[in-house]
Amino acid sequence: MNDYIIKCENLGFTYSDGDDSGSVEIPALRNVSLSVKRGEYLAILGHNGSGKSTLAKLLNMILTPTVGKIYIDGVDVTADDFTEDDVFAIRRKIGMVFQNPDNQLVATVVEEDVAFGPENLGLPREEIRRRVNSSLALVGMQGYSRHAPHKLSGGQKQRVAIAGIIAMKPDVIIFDESTAMLDPLGRREVVEIMERLNREEGITVINITHYMEEAARADRVVVINDGEIALDGTPREVFSKVARLHSMGLEAPQGNELVLLLRAAGCKIDGDSLTEEECVETLYNFISKEKTI
Protein backbone atom coordinates (compact mmCIF):
# COMPACT_ATOMS: atom_id res chain seq x y z
CA MET A 1 0.00 0.00 0.00
CA ASN A 2 1.24 3.47 -0.90
CA ASP A 3 2.23 5.42 2.24
CA TYR A 4 1.12 8.66 0.59
CA ILE A 5 -2.57 9.13 -0.20
CA ILE A 6 -1.85 12.42 -2.05
CA LYS A 7 1.22 13.62 -3.94
CA CYS A 8 1.50 16.86 -5.91
CA GLU A 9 4.49 17.59 -8.12
CA ASN A 10 5.31 21.11 -9.36
CA LEU A 11 1.63 21.97 -9.35
CA GLY A 12 0.45 25.21 -10.89
CA PHE A 13 -2.92 26.76 -11.65
CA THR A 14 -3.79 29.97 -13.51
CA TYR A 15 -7.18 31.62 -13.68
CA SER A 16 -8.26 33.41 -16.84
CA ASP A 17 -10.07 36.67 -16.17
CA GLY A 18 -11.66 37.50 -19.50
CA ASP A 19 -13.33 40.74 -20.51
CA ASP A 20 -14.02 42.68 -23.70
CA SER A 21 -10.43 43.90 -23.89
CA GLY A 22 -8.96 40.42 -23.69
CA SER A 23 -8.04 37.69 -21.21
CA VAL A 24 -5.80 38.29 -18.19
CA GLU A 25 -3.91 35.32 -16.72
CA ILE A 26 -3.93 35.29 -12.91
CA PRO A 27 -1.58 32.72 -11.31
CA ALA A 28 -3.10 31.16 -8.18
CA LEU A 29 -0.56 28.40 -7.50
CA ARG A 30 3.08 28.00 -8.56
CA ASN A 31 5.49 25.07 -8.17
CA VAL A 32 3.56 23.39 -5.37
CA SER A 33 5.03 20.03 -4.41
CA LEU A 34 3.21 18.44 -1.48
CA SER A 35 2.85 14.90 -0.13
CA VAL A 36 0.18 13.87 2.38
CA LYS A 37 0.60 10.63 4.29
CA ARG A 38 -2.25 8.18 4.70
CA GLY A 39 -3.91 8.91 8.04
CA GLU A 40 -2.26 12.32 8.47
CA TYR A 41 -3.97 15.34 10.03
CA LEU A 42 -2.78 18.32 7.99
CA ALA A 43 -3.67 22.00 8.41
CA ILE A 44 -3.18 24.45 5.53
CA LEU A 45 -2.90 28.16 6.31
CA GLY A 46 -2.66 31.27 4.17
CA HIS A 47 -4.03 34.77 3.87
CA ASN A 48 -7.09 35.43 1.70
CA GLY A 49 -6.18 34.86 -1.93
CA SER A 50 -3.06 32.84 -1.09
CA GLY A 51 -4.23 29.85 -3.14
CA LYS A 52 -5.19 27.41 -0.40
CA SER A 53 -8.81 26.94 -1.54
CA THR A 54 -7.62 26.56 -5.14
CA LEU A 55 -5.40 23.71 -3.95
CA ALA A 56 -8.40 22.05 -2.28
CA LYS A 57 -10.42 22.21 -5.48
CA LEU A 58 -7.54 20.72 -7.45
CA LEU A 59 -7.24 17.81 -5.02
CA ASN A 60 -10.98 17.14 -5.29
CA MET A 61 -10.79 17.50 -9.10
CA ILE A 62 -13.20 20.41 -9.19
CA LEU A 63 -10.39 22.21 -11.03
CA THR A 64 -7.73 20.83 -13.38
CA PRO A 65 -4.13 22.01 -12.89
CA THR A 66 -2.53 24.18 -15.53
CA VAL A 67 0.79 22.39 -15.02
CA GLY A 68 2.14 19.63 -12.79
CA LYS A 69 0.98 16.26 -11.54
CA ILE A 70 -1.45 15.04 -8.88
CA TYR A 71 -1.43 11.45 -7.63
CA ILE A 72 -4.33 10.20 -5.52
CA ASP A 73 -3.68 6.84 -3.88
CA GLY A 74 -0.93 6.24 -6.44
CA VAL A 75 -3.10 7.09 -9.46
CA ASP A 76 -2.07 9.94 -11.78
CA VAL A 77 -5.33 11.90 -11.98
CA THR A 78 -3.74 14.41 -14.36
CA ALA A 79 -2.96 11.78 -17.02
CA ASP A 80 -4.33 12.40 -20.52
CA ASP A 81 -6.21 9.08 -20.53
CA PHE A 82 -8.01 9.80 -17.23
CA THR A 83 -11.76 9.38 -17.88
CA GLU A 84 -14.97 10.70 -16.30
CA ASP A 85 -15.50 7.27 -14.70
CA ASP A 86 -12.03 7.55 -13.19
CA VAL A 87 -12.91 10.98 -11.82
CA PHE A 88 -16.01 9.57 -10.11
CA ALA A 89 -13.97 6.77 -8.55
CA ILE A 90 -11.37 9.21 -7.20
CA ARG A 91 -14.01 11.54 -5.80
CA ARG A 92 -15.29 8.62 -3.75
CA LYS A 93 -11.88 8.60 -2.08
CA ILE A 94 -11.79 12.33 -1.30
CA GLY A 95 -14.73 14.08 0.35
CA MET A 96 -14.97 17.83 0.75
CA VAL A 97 -16.78 19.96 3.32
CA PHE A 98 -17.25 23.57 2.23
CA GLN A 99 -17.53 26.83 4.15
CA ASN A 100 -21.29 27.22 3.86
CA PRO A 101 -23.20 24.04 4.85
CA ASP A 102 -26.35 25.31 3.10
CA ASN A 103 -24.54 24.70 -0.20
CA GLN A 104 -24.18 20.98 0.61
CA LEU A 105 -27.58 20.17 2.09
CA VAL A 106 -29.90 18.83 -0.61
CA ALA A 107 -32.86 17.20 1.18
CA THR A 108 -35.65 18.37 3.47
CA VAL A 109 -34.97 15.74 6.16
CA VAL A 110 -31.59 15.14 7.83
CA GLU A 111 -31.42 11.37 7.31
CA GLU A 112 -32.40 11.73 3.65
CA ASP A 113 -29.63 14.26 3.15
CA VAL A 114 -27.02 11.90 4.65
CA ALA A 115 -28.38 9.05 2.52
CA PHE A 116 -28.07 11.03 -0.72
CA GLY A 117 -24.44 10.07 -1.44
CA PRO A 118 -24.73 6.34 -0.63
CA GLU A 119 -27.93 6.14 -2.72
CA ASN A 120 -26.00 7.54 -5.71
CA LEU A 121 -23.46 4.77 -5.18
CA GLY A 122 -26.24 2.23 -5.70
CA LEU A 123 -25.79 0.60 -2.31
CA PRO A 124 -28.39 -1.80 -0.86
CA ARG A 125 -31.03 -0.21 1.36
CA GLU A 126 -29.76 -2.02 4.47
CA GLU A 127 -26.22 -0.72 3.92
CA ILE A 128 -27.50 2.83 3.35
CA ARG A 129 -29.45 2.71 6.60
CA ARG A 130 -26.41 1.41 8.48
CA ARG A 131 -24.18 4.15 7.05
CA VAL A 132 -26.71 6.90 7.79
CA ASN A 133 -27.08 5.78 11.41
CA SER A 134 -23.35 5.36 12.04
CA SER A 135 -22.47 8.67 10.34
CA LEU A 136 -25.01 10.65 12.33
CA ALA A 137 -23.78 8.97 15.52
CA LEU A 138 -20.18 9.93 14.71
CA VAL A 139 -21.08 13.63 14.48
CA GLY A 140 -23.47 13.54 17.44
CA MET A 141 -26.62 14.16 15.37
CA GLN A 142 -28.40 10.81 15.74
CA GLY A 143 -31.23 12.49 17.62
CA TYR A 144 -31.96 14.81 14.68
CA SER A 145 -32.48 12.25 11.90
CA ARG A 146 -36.05 13.36 11.19
CA HIS A 147 -35.45 17.09 11.58
CA ALA A 148 -35.50 19.64 8.76
CA PRO A 149 -31.91 20.80 8.03
CA HIS A 150 -32.93 24.43 7.47
CA LYS A 151 -34.18 24.62 11.08
CA LEU A 152 -30.81 23.59 12.55
CA SER A 153 -28.06 25.89 13.84
CA GLY A 154 -25.01 26.59 11.70
CA GLY A 155 -22.89 24.12 13.64
CA GLN A 156 -25.57 21.43 13.42
CA LYS A 157 -25.94 21.98 9.66
CA GLN A 158 -22.19 21.58 9.23
CA ARG A 159 -22.25 18.37 11.24
CA VAL A 160 -24.99 17.01 8.96
CA ALA A 161 -22.92 17.98 5.91
CA ILE A 162 -19.95 16.12 7.41
CA ALA A 163 -22.14 13.09 8.11
CA GLY A 164 -23.13 13.06 4.44
CA ILE A 165 -19.45 12.91 3.48
CA ILE A 166 -18.64 10.23 6.08
CA ALA A 167 -21.46 8.05 4.72
CA MET A 168 -19.54 7.86 1.42
CA LYS A 169 -16.61 6.28 3.33
CA PRO A 170 -13.83 8.44 1.80
CA ASP A 171 -10.14 7.93 2.57
CA VAL A 172 -9.62 11.70 2.81
CA ILE A 173 -11.85 14.56 3.94
CA ILE A 174 -10.88 18.12 3.02
CA PHE A 175 -12.42 20.82 5.20
CA ASP A 176 -12.27 24.04 3.16
CA GLU A 177 -12.77 26.87 5.68
CA SER A 178 -15.55 24.71 7.14
CA THR A 179 -15.64 26.58 10.46
CA ALA A 180 -15.45 30.12 9.03
CA MET A 181 -19.20 30.81 9.29
CA LEU A 182 -19.68 29.21 12.71
CA ASP A 183 -19.73 30.65 16.22
CA PRO A 184 -17.01 29.53 18.70
CA LEU A 185 -19.12 26.61 19.97
CA GLY A 186 -19.86 25.41 16.44
CA ARG A 187 -16.18 25.71 15.51
CA ARG A 188 -15.13 23.67 18.52
CA GLU A 189 -17.67 20.95 17.69
CA VAL A 190 -16.50 20.65 14.09
CA VAL A 191 -12.80 20.60 15.05
CA GLU A 192 -13.48 17.85 17.60
CA ILE A 193 -15.20 15.84 14.83
CA MET A 194 -12.14 16.32 12.58
CA GLU A 195 -9.91 14.96 15.32
CA ARG A 196 -12.21 12.01 16.02
CA LEU A 197 -12.42 11.09 12.34
CA ASN A 198 -8.64 11.18 12.07
CA ARG A 199 -7.63 9.50 15.32
CA GLU A 200 -10.46 7.01 15.77
CA GLU A 201 -11.53 6.29 12.18
CA GLY A 202 -8.13 6.64 10.49
CA ILE A 203 -9.39 9.13 7.89
CA THR A 204 -6.83 11.51 6.41
CA VAL A 205 -7.95 15.04 7.33
CA ILE A 206 -6.90 18.23 5.57
CA ASN A 207 -8.16 21.34 7.35
CA ILE A 208 -7.85 24.53 5.32
CA THR A 209 -8.37 27.29 7.83
CA HIS A 210 -7.43 30.80 8.91
CA TYR A 211 -7.80 29.98 12.62
CA MET A 212 -4.33 29.45 14.10
CA GLU A 213 -5.69 27.61 17.14
CA GLU A 214 -7.26 25.01 14.83
CA ALA A 215 -4.02 24.55 12.90
CA ALA A 216 -2.06 24.12 16.14
CA ARG A 217 -4.02 20.92 16.84
CA ALA A 218 -2.95 19.23 13.60
CA ASP A 219 0.00 16.87 13.10
CA ARG A 220 1.50 19.13 10.47
CA VAL A 221 1.02 22.68 9.16
CA VAL A 222 1.63 23.98 5.64
CA VAL A 223 1.58 27.72 4.98
CA ILE A 224 0.82 28.92 1.45
CA ASN A 225 1.81 32.47 0.55
CA ASP A 226 1.08 34.03 -2.84
CA GLY A 227 0.56 30.64 -4.45
CA GLU A 228 3.68 28.94 -3.11
CA ILE A 229 4.48 26.81 -0.07
CA ALA A 230 6.30 29.08 2.38
CA LEU A 231 6.45 26.90 5.51
CA ASP A 232 5.97 23.19 6.17
CA GLY A 233 6.48 21.43 9.50
CA THR A 234 4.98 20.51 12.83
CA PRO A 235 2.80 23.18 14.48
CA ARG A 236 5.61 23.90 16.95
CA GLU A 237 8.13 24.37 14.13
CA VAL A 238 5.87 26.58 12.01
CA PHE A 239 4.52 28.76 14.83
CA SER A 240 8.01 29.36 16.20
CA LYS A 241 8.66 31.49 13.08
CA VAL A 242 6.50 34.37 14.29
CA ALA A 243 8.27 37.14 12.37
CA ARG A 244 7.95 35.14 9.13
CA LEU A 245 4.25 34.58 9.76
CA HIS A 246 3.73 38.29 10.43
CA SER A 247 5.46 39.15 7.16
CA MET A 248 2.85 37.01 5.36
CA GLY A 249 -0.09 38.68 7.10
CA LEU A 250 -0.59 35.81 9.56
CA GLU A 251 -0.25 35.42 13.30
CA ALA A 252 0.77 32.67 15.67
CA PRO A 253 -1.92 31.24 18.00
CA GLN A 254 -3.19 33.87 20.44
CA GLY A 255 -1.56 32.25 23.46
CA ASN A 256 1.80 32.31 21.72
CA GLU A 257 1.34 35.96 20.70
CA LEU A 258 0.40 36.87 24.29
CA VAL A 259 3.49 35.23 25.76
CA LEU A 260 5.72 36.93 23.17
CA LEU A 261 4.22 40.33 24.04
CA LEU A 262 4.81 39.72 27.75
CA ARG A 263 8.42 38.72 27.07
CA ALA A 264 8.91 41.85 24.97
CA ALA A 265 7.59 43.84 27.93
CA GLY A 266 10.28 42.38 30.16
CA CYS A 267 8.53 39.40 31.75
CA LYS A 268 10.87 36.42 32.13
CA ILE A 269 8.45 33.74 30.98
CA ASP A 270 9.67 30.23 30.21
CA GLY A 271 7.84 27.50 28.35
CA ASP A 272 5.82 27.02 25.19
CA SER A 273 2.31 28.30 24.55
CA LEU A 274 1.19 26.67 21.34
CA THR A 275 -2.26 25.75 22.64
CA GLU A 276 -4.62 27.45 25.08
CA GLU A 277 -3.79 24.78 27.67
CA GLU A 278 -0.05 25.41 27.28
CA CYS A 279 -0.59 29.18 27.58
CA VAL A 280 -2.51 28.77 30.83
CA GLU A 281 0.19 26.48 32.23
CA THR A 282 2.97 28.85 31.14
CA LEU A 283 1.31 31.87 32.76
CA TYR A 284 0.48 29.89 35.92
CA ASN A 285 4.10 28.79 36.29
CA PHE A 286 5.31 32.35 35.71
CA ILE A 287 2.96 33.82 38.33
CA SER A 288 3.79 31.07 40.83
CA LYS A 289 7.53 31.71 40.36
CA GLU A 290 7.06 35.46 40.77
CA LYS A 291 5.23 34.95 44.08
CA THR A 292 8.14 32.96 45.50
CA ILE A 293 10.74 35.60 44.64
Side-chain angles (χ1 to χ4, degrees):
M1 182 183 291
N2 195 330
D3 288 340
Y4 292 99
I5 187 70
I6 295 172
K7 289 189 77 172
C8 304
E9 297 178 353
N10 302 315
L11 202 62
F13 184 81
T14 301
Y15 288 100
S16 294
D17 185 13
D19 54 32
D20 294 338
S21 61
S23 180
V24 178
E25 300 295 306
I26 304 172
L29 290 176
R30 295 184 295 273
N31 302 316
V32 171
S33 293
L34 175 70
S35 296
V36 182
K37 289 183 178 179
R38 195 179 301 274
E40 190 170 18
Y41 181 9
L42 171 67
I44 298 180
L45 295 171
H47 59 75
N48 289 337
S50 62
K52 57 187 187 298
S53 288
T54 299
L55 177 60
K57 291 171 184 174
L58 288 169
L59 297 180
N60 194 243
M61 306 184 72
I62 295 172
L63 298 175
T64 302
T66 307
V67 296
K69 292 285 188 182
I70 302 175
Y71 297 89
I72 305 295
D73 203 11
V75 177
D76 182 359
V77 302
T78 51
D80 292 337
D81 59 352
F82 205 70
T83 67
E84 285 296 321
D85 288 340
D86 295 328
V87 170
F88 182 73
I90 291 297
R91 281 183 177 159
R92 289 178 60 177
K93 293 178 179 288
I94 300 186
M96 195 159 173
V97 181
F98 296 97
Q99 183 179 114
N100 188 347
D102 288 326
N103 294 338
Q104 282 188 266
L105 301 178
V106 297
T108 57
V109 178
V110 164
E111 64 180 6
E112 292 176 1
D113 196 279
V114 178
F116 181 78
E119 285 174 347
N120 283 338
L121 296 178
L123 298 176
R125 184 176 297 276
E126 298 76 16
E127 175 64 10
I128 293 173
R129 171 51 57 190
R130 189 189 67 77
R131 290 195 185 192
V132 168
N133 290 341
S134 63
S135 298
L136 286 173
L138 266 173
V139 300
M141 291 294 289
Q142 62 269 43
Y144 294 82
S145 61
R146 298 300 303 168
H147 282 58
H150 71 275
K151 293 185 178 180
L152 301 176
S153 69
Q156 289 172 329
K157 287 179 181 179
Q158 197 62 288
R159 283 192 275 165
V160 172
I162 295 169
I165 299 298
I166 296 170
M168 301 280 285
K169 290 191 173 297
D171 297 318
V172 182
I173 299 180
I174 301 172
F175 294 83
D176 187 13
E177 302 275 12
S178 303
T179 63
M181 297 180 67
L182 305 180
D183 60 25
L185 176 60
R187 285 202 302 272
R188 189 181 308 119
E189 290 172 346
V190 171
V191 171
E192 287 173 355
I193 290 169
M194 291 182 199
E195 295 176 352
R196 196 179 314 132
L197 292 173
N198 177 252
R199 283 151 196 175
E200 297 178 12
E201 303 298 319
I203 295 173
T204 304
V205 169
I206 300 176
N207 182 21
I208 297 173
T209 181
H210 60 267
Y211 290 109
M212 303 301 130
E213 285 72 23
E214 288 184 16
R217 301 174 74 102
D219 299 326
R220 175 179 161 214
V221 177
V222 167
V223 179
I224 297 180
N225 185 55
D226 295 336
E228 299 180 297
I229 293 179
L231 294 171
D232 184 350
T234 66
R236 206 166 297 280
E237 289 169 343
V238 169
F239 289 126
S240 68
K241 298 175 172 60
V242 178
R244 182 81 188 280
L245 290 169
H246 287 176
S247 73
M248 294 184 285
L250 301 173
E251 296 181 346
Q254 289 181 349
N256 197 12
E257 294 280 355
L258 173 60
V259 169
L260 289 173
L261 286 171
L262 290 172
R263 283 177 182 157
C267 298
K268 297 180 179 179
I269 299 179
D270 299 319
D272 293 317
S273 55
L274 188 62
T275 65
E276 293 176 0
E277 293 80 8
E278 286 184 358
C279 182
V280 170
E281 184 177 356
T282 296
L283 294 177
Y284 176 79
N285 291 337
F286 168 69
I287 293 170
S288 298
K289 185 173 68 175
E290 289 293 301
K291 285 182 177 180
T292 61
I293 295 176

